Amino acid sequence: MQTYLALVIPVVITTCWLYTAHIARASFPRLRNKGICLLIAHPDDEAMFFAPTVLALADPQLGNHVKILCLSSGDADGLGPTRKTELAQSAILLGLRSENDVLVIEDPAFPDSMTTTWDAAKLANVLSRTFQASSTKPSSRKQASSSDKTNEAPTATIDVLITFDRQGISGHPNHISLYHGAIAWLRGMMKGKTGWECPVALYTLTSTNILRKYASVFDAPFTMLRCVLQSMASAGGKEKESMPKRLMYLSDIGAYRTAQKAMTQAHQSQMRWFRWGWIGVGRYMVVNDLKRERII
């Protein structure tokens, strides 16, 4: 009997996993033909927390252009140059088109630190310089009144920004800072832009309690049900939005193995004993659910 169960249980788990992944792909909306930036704090965040999202969005069939903006080189242990190289390698494994789609910011204002909160205004300035397109048209500069220019349509060179939520998944102050910096950037962009929709949709990765955080693929059915119920609850709004309010990405076995390789093969300098546990049972290696944030 024990031998029978030992053979049957893995088959049942694998079958349920693959079926749930199929249902998730078929049931939840996908982003297509978008310019997308993943905003992270440290090299390895993209693999440890966002791998299901990056793998799904970077699928060539969807036509998205995915980039990664990392606000530090993770130099707390003096490994900054090594970790920058590892991030580029990980990005390619996860499906990005080129290493040129990875940008690492090295600025004393954004130290890799478990005790430092990064300034939201400085983060917003980085995002503005990197992604905010100028809306000034020289040919109409003289004719446009001050009020007209103030209420020109806001523009950006990306359509979607993805980052941590206000809890930062692990509570890391650098992660949490990214959320506040992203909000500050988009609110600043929309200031005085009455009647216009924000050109960038901000999605944040949902933090969970510690039990769910280490439930691996077993958290997927609960996450799916929760996302469906939340989508139904918010579906009564009168305004038709151009971007979905909820996104969910559940990796199949092949994608899960790719995410693990992004850590074990690319981020070798970070593979300490506790990270082996994370890539084995961490639910963020398998499932991501993201919420679109309200900016105004």
Side-chain angles (χ1 to χ4, degrees), residues 132 183-192:
Q132 195 163 344
I183 291 288
W185 172 48
L186 295 177
R187 285 181 176 169
M189 183 194 302
M190 296 304 297
K191 186 176 181 180

Side-chain angles (χ1 to χ4, degrees), residues 30-52:
R30 299 188 187 188
L31 301 181
R32 297 177 181 272
N33 303 314
K34 303 296 184 184
I36 301 170
C37 175
L38 173 64
L39 177 64
I40 58 176
H42 320 102
D44 76 14
D45 286 347
E46 82 296 339
M48 289 182 62
F49 302 108
F50 293 95

